[in-house]
């Protein structure tokens, strides 16, 4: 039966390769390459690799709606489903996605198709008559995109199939899942080669026409490599509470010169400092300009290391990032039926305001909640309290002084949560708009350097601690100065006396990543790489306490009593798992069911992660 289904899939998906018409894996495949005999053809092909990577879920529900909420700090905004939660939503409350989640397979497949396109291009380069130097530049960019495709896959699924060649016959279409550390080693190898071969910044600008194209230069490979090293470091720093069982598996990163977490953090710090000190990028002096989207220079900022263009010219028809995040009729735009589907979590909003000395409401129903803070980034990223809506009129939203009644969908949509607004631009009107998506920008590299240094610190006021604080303070200074007139009072500069130990410093850097880059799709990966104990202590437990606080006055309707907001948040009796042994089950998403069915190298009857199936400690269906 499995082979019959595979044959059907082959006919539907990949008619372009004759031998693939017989059978094909559900993920690793793609369309026929364009010609590779001219520079223009090579440019078209590498652009196709970029476009395929971009379709992997960054701007659609696969990441925005179904992955970000699994971080614990973003909320799915479908109000009607809160009273009757769907399984595809409730799995996020376990910090994960189940094997049969309807959106899980979309991004999985797209990443593998990006790998296929990159491998096809790398193969075609070998016989291309184009100048060797030009081909080397394209090769570097293809290696970069292949590496980053695998970086997302390995963080989502742990062990994944590692395909480095274009299939030439039916025997090598399928592959078993490789140990996750081998995937990481391949990622680093690809990024090493990419950094050597890719174009310099000036050369990239000259060839591709500008920094708004979505293309990348050699220092993008170094910047992304610093994040890969940081991720390896955090995994190794928490070996006993991560997604693998240390008594059964011993990750081996020696191939890339890493034998300890300290080795990885040193490499992350070295790469990040190289980008900061020698790279071609610059911090934008005003944070607001990053998400202004009104002036031509907003698409040419030198803080942009890697972006995904979202202009209509890119034929980005699957992008729904703007319309799903914004309120209905935002700034007088048209009605959007799916508005506000991915929202800032109330607990996250409160955490941000509390961290930077916010003020609480003065009404009956918001006197226990923070309603604002003076960090200028809050208002750049989030619509809260009120916003301009239909016919230019103000509309209230969380945390305004409104009582929210269970079962009232409109009340939940407007008053249940704030909204993300950072991707709004004046050209948007129930359309794609022109705002770009930042995959990597220089501010993140500063925070990578800070986190790596903090992990190398032995305690307050040592060299590494001071270095970490210095990097963060440059980000905080930019935030304070992103105002008209006098600088804001928050976020204040950090001092070593603020942190009793390095763990406190590392935690604050985590939250600073969240405040600097909310809804830039780092939340899920940042919370999950820190280990199950950290996730239980830092997210699950404090959020459970928050859910049982009375944000608004208790009230009764008929014979039912309602305690603050909690009964309409996730359900009256809901609690996140606080036992880290349960939390660890969600540290990676379950392998997509479709792949388990169609990939003949994976045995659905096995529980051995080395042979292809989801390991026991992972939630799956």
């Amino acid at each position: 039966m499995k082979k019959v289904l595979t044959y059907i899939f082959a006919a539907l998906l990949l008619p372009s390769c004759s031998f693939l018409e017989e059978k094909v894996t559900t993920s690793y495949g793609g369309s026929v390459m364009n010609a590779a005999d001219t520079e223009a053809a090579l440019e078209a092909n590498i652009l196709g690799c970029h476009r395929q990577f971009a379709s992997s879920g960054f701007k659609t529900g696969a990441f925005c709606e179904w992955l970000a909420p699994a971080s614990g700090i973003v909320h799915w905004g479908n109000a009607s489903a809160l009273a009757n939660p769907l399984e595809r939503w409730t799995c996020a409350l376990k910090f994960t996605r189940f094997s049969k989640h309807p959106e899980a397979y979309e991004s999985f497949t797209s990443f593998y198709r990006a790998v296929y396109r990159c491998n096809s291009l790398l193969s075609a380069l070998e016989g291309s008559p184009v100048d060797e130097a030009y081909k080397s530049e394209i090769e570097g960019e293809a290696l970069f995109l292949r590496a980053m495709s695998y970086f997302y896959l390995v963080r989502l699924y742990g062990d994944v199939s590692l395909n480095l060649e274009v299939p030439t016959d039916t025997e090598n279409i399928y592959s078993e899942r490789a140990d996750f550390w081998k995937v990481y080693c391949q990622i680093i190898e690809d990024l090493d080669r990419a950094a050597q071969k890719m174009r310099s910044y000036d050369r990239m600008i000259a060839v591709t026409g500008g920094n708004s194209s979505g293309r990348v230069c050699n220092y993008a490979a170094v910047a992304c490599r610093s994040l890969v090293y940081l991720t390896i470091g955090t995994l190794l720093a928490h070996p006993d509470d991560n997604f693998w069982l240390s008594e059964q598996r011993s990750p081996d990163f020696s191939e890339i010169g890493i034998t300890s977490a300290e080795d990885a953090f040193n490499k992350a710090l070295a790469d990040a400092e190289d980008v900061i000190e020698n790279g071609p990028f610059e911090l934008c002096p005003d944070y607001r300009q990053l998400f202004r989207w009104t002036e031509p220079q907003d698409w040419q900022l030198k803080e942009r290391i890697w972006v995904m263009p979202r202009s209509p010219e890119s034929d980005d028809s699957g992008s729904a990032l703007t319309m799903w995040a914004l309120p209905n009729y935002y700034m007088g735009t048209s009605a959007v039926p799916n508005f506000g589907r991915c929202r800032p979590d109330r607990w996250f909003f409160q955490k941000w305001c509390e961290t930077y000395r916010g003020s609480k409401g003065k009404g009956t129903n918001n006197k226990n909640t923070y309603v604002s803070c003076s960090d200028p980034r809050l208002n750049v990223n989030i619509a809260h309290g009120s916003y301009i809506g239909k016919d230019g009129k103000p509309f209230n939203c969380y945390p305004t002084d409104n009582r929210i009644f269970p079962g009232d969908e409109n009340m939940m949509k407007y008053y249940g949560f704030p909204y993300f607004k950072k991707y709004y631009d004046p050209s948007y009107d129930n359309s794609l708009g022109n705002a770009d998506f930042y995959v990597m920008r220089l501010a993140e590299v500063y925070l990578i350097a800070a986190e790596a240094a903090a992990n190398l610190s032995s305690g307050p006021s040592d060299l590494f601690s001071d270095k970490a604080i210095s990097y963060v303070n440059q980000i905080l200074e930019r935030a304070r100065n992103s105002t008209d007139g006098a600088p804001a009072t928050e976020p204040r500069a950090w001092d070593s006396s603020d942190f009793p130990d390095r763990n406190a410093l590392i935690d604050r850097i985590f939250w600073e990543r969240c405040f600097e880059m909310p809804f830039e799709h780092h939340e899920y990966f940042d919370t999950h790489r820190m280990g199950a104990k950290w996730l239980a202590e830092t997210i699950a437990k404090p959020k459970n306490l928050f859910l049982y606080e009375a944000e608004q006055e208790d009230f009764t309707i008929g014979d039912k009593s309602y305690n603050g907001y909690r009964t309409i948040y996730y359900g009256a009796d809901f609690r996140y798992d606080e036992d880290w042994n349960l939390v660890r089950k969600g540290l990676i998403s379950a392998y997509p069911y479709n792949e388990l069915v169609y990939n003949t190298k994976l045995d659905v009857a096995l529980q051995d992660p080395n042979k292809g199936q989801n390991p026991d400690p992972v939630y799956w269906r």
Side-chain angles (χ1 to χ4, degrees):
M1 180 62 180
K2 189 170 183 179
K3 287 188 176 180
V4 171
L5 292 173
T6 304
Y7 298 154
I8 294 172
F9 233 72
L12 291 175
L13 285 181
L14 298 172
S16 56
C17 299
S18 58
F19 75 87
L20 293 182
E21 292 176 6
E22 181 180 355
K23 64 178 183 177
V24 66
T25 179
T26 52
S27 60
Y28 184 58
S31 57
V32 174
M33 287 286 300
N34 296 320
D37 55 352
T38 66
E39 292 179 357
L42 295 183
E43 294 295 338
N45 280 314
I46 194 63
L47 188 60
C49 295
H50 278 278
R51 291 288 179 260
Q52 182 61 61
F53 184 94
S55 68
S56 299
F58 293 93
K59 297 166 285 183
T60 65
F63 272 25
C64 307
E65 208 177 344
W66 304 117
L67 189 66
S71 68
I73 56 179
V74 176
H75 199 284
W76 186 42
N78 189 319
S80 62
L82 295 179
N84 301 291
L86 305 172
E87 183 180 22
R88 61 181 178 173
W89 157 236
T90 55
C91 66
L93 304 179
K94 298 290 187 182
F95 304 112
T96 195
R97 288 189 301 193
F98 291 135
S99 188
K100 290 186 178 180
H101 191 288
E103 295 287 343
Y105 194 55
E106 177 184 340
S107 54
F108 179 90
T109 302
S110 284
F111 281 127
Y112 269 111
R113 287 181 177 168
V115 170
Y116 180 90
R117 291 187 72 106
C118 291
N119 286 341
S120 297
L121 179 52
L122 290 169
S123 178
L125 285 171
E126 295 177 5
S128 171
V130 175
D131 176 74
E132 290 298 322
Y134 202 101
K135 288 196 299 182
S136 181
E137 294 174 340
I138 298 296
E139 178 187 0
E141 205 164 343
L143 289 167
F144 170 82
L145 290 171
R146 184 174 76 177
M148 296 312 293
S149 294
Y150 275 122
F151 185 46
Y152 279 93
L153 284 165
V154 75
R155 288 185 294 170
L156 284 170
Y157 300 105
D159 299 350
V160 294
S161 297
L162 189 57
N163 301 308
L164 304 178
E165 305 288 343
V166 178
T168 56
D169 55 48
T170 57
E171 295 304 316
N172 64 4
I173 300 171
Y174 304 103
S175 59
E176 298 176 352
R177 293 169 73 175
D179 295 321
F180 68 88
W181 59 88
K182 294 179 181 178
V183 180
Y184 274 107
C185 288
Q186 184 63 50
I187 291 168
I188 292 298
E189 180 183 331
D190 281 356
L191 290 176
D192 286 347
R193 293 169 62 196
Q196 295 298 317
K197 293 174 177 290
M198 290 168 69
R199 292 165 175 149
S200 69
Y201 182 83
D202 290 340
R203 166 77 173 159
M204 182 270 290
I205 294 292
V207 174
T208 65
N211 199 23
S212 62
S213 64
R215 301 290 290 277
V216 284
C217 73
N218 54 351
Y219 264 101
V222 180
C224 290
R225 189 174 62 191
S226 71
L227 180 58
V228 178
Y229 281 135
L230 183 73
T231 301
I232 294 172
T234 52
L235 292 177
L236 291 177
H238 306 94
D240 296 322
D241 64 331
N242 226 297
F243 61 85
W244 70 89
L245 300 178
S246 58
E247 63 270 20
Q248 296 179 8
R249 312 183 74 190
S250 180
D252 181 6
F253 295 96
S254 59
E255 181 182 328
I256 52 175
I258 294 175
T259 59
S260 66
E262 183 178 359
D263 289 341
F265 291 132
N266 271 306
K267 288 177 178 292
L269 180 59
D271 272 350
E273 291 187 325
D274 183 18
V275 173
I276 292 169
E277 296 168 7
N278 304 311
F281 313 110
E282 299 173 2
L283 285 177
C284 179
D286 191 326
Y287 183 87
R288 294 173 295 178
Q289 190 179 349
L290 290 165
F291 306 101
R292 185 173 59 180
W293 312 121
T294 58
E295 306 300 323
Q297 58 267 33
D298 296 343
W299 284 266
Q300 303 288 345
L301 299 174
K302 295 194 76 173
E303 184 163 334
R304 299 155 64 101
I305 296 177
W306 184 18
V307 300
M308 291 181 183
R310 298 187 56 250
S311 64
E313 290 78 13
S314 69
D315 191 27
D316 200 3
S317 58
S319 177
L321 191 62
T322 302
M323 65 179 70
W324 285 358
L326 289 173
N328 207 8
Y329 293 110
Y330 186 73
M331 300 300 289
T333 56
S334 300
V336 181
N338 291 325
F339 68 93
R341 292 180 66 149
C342 194
R343 310 275 282 275
D345 185 275
R346 286 208 312 267
W347 176 69
F348 171 64
F349 179 84
Q350 294 296 310
K351 178 77 175 180
W352 193 337
C353 292
E354 180 184 17
T355 299
Y356 290 123
R357 292 173 171 77
S359 57
K360 290 190 173 182
K362 301 183 183 301
T364 300
N365 299 304
N366 68 357
K367 66 182 181 182
N368 296 316
T369 63
Y370 287 96
V371 296
S372 66
C373 73
S374 62
D375 182 349
R377 297 172 300 181
L378 183 73
N379 292 334
V380 173
N381 287 285
I382 296 176
H384 59 96
S386 67
Y387 63 89
I388 301 301
K390 188 177 182 180
D391 300 324
K393 297 179 180 178
F395 282 73
N396 289 333
C397 66
Y398 180 87
T400 193
D401 185 31
N402 282 83
R403 173 167 288 173
I404 302 176
F405 295 95
D408 188 327
E409 184 173 341
N410 287 325
M411 273 288 208
M412 278 297 297
K413 281 200 170 186
Y414 286 107
Y415 304 130
F417 310 93
Y419 296 85
F420 290 113
K421 69 175 187 178
K422 64 196 303 178
Y423 299 110
Y424 169 75
D425 76 276
S427 71
Y428 166 77
D429 189 4
N430 196 3
S431 61
L432 297 181
N434 288 311
D436 288 344
F437 178 80
Y438 294 109
V439 185
M440 170 77 78
R441 54 186 176 90
L442 186 58
E444 182 181 5
V445 179
Y446 275 80
L447 294 171
I448 290 170
E451 187 177 337
N455 275 282
L456 294 168
S457 169
S458 59
S461 298
D462 72 357
L463 175 64
F464 286 111
S465 175
D466 289 346
K467 180 175 286 193
I469 290 171
S470 175
Y471 282 127
V472 174
N473 278 340
Q474 293 180 67
I475 301 301
L476 301 182
E477 182 180 15
R478 192 262 296 270
R480 291 193 302 274
N481 287 313
S482 298
T483 59
D484 296 323
T489 57
E490 297 286 353
R492 291 182 309 148
W494 293 0
D495 185 85
S496 60
S497 62
D498 296 333
F499 307 102
D501 53 45
R502 75 172 185 175
N503 287 334
L505 177 57
I506 292 168
D507 283 354
R508 277 297 302 275
I509 293 170
F510 163 81
W511 287 112
E512 192 51 41
R513 283 180 64 89
C514 295
F515 303 148
E516 172 68 23
M517 304 180 294
F519 205 38
E520 294 179 39
H521 296 346
H522 301 290
E523 294 94 341
Y524 171 88
F525 300 106
D526 282 344
T527 57
H528 285 57
R529 67 183 166 87
M530 303 296 282
K533 290 180 181 178
W534 184 95
L535 193 53
E537 295 296 325
T538 308
I539 305 294
K541 289 183 179 180
K543 193 167 180 181
N544 281 340
L545 291 174
F546 172 80
L547 293 177
Y548 282 77
E549 292 175 352
E551 285 188 79
Q552 67 178 10
E553 294 293 305
D554 297 346
F555 59 96
T556 300
I557 300 178
D559 59 350
K560 291 186 177 181
S561 296
Y562 297 95
N563 304 108
Y565 282 143
R566 66 182 169 88
T567 56
I568 50 177
Y569 195 53
Y570 296 115
D573 300 320
F574 171 77
R575 282 185 177 275
Y576 281 93
D577 289 332
E578 296 185 3
D579 181 345
W580 67 268
N581 287 295
L582 295 176
V583 173
R584 76 181 299 171
K585 292 184 175 184
L587 288 180
I588 56 173
S589 294
Y591 226 53
Y593 178 77
N594 305 59
E595 184 71 4
L596 296 173
V597 170
Y598 294 110
N599 186 338
T600 56
K601 291 290 182 70
L602 307 180
D603 190 336
V604 296
L606 295 176
Q607 291 288 319
D608 183 351
N610 293 310
K611 294 183 179 178
Q613 178 59 332
N614 291 299
D616 281 331
V618 180
Y619 282 113
W620 72 286
R621 297 291 177 89

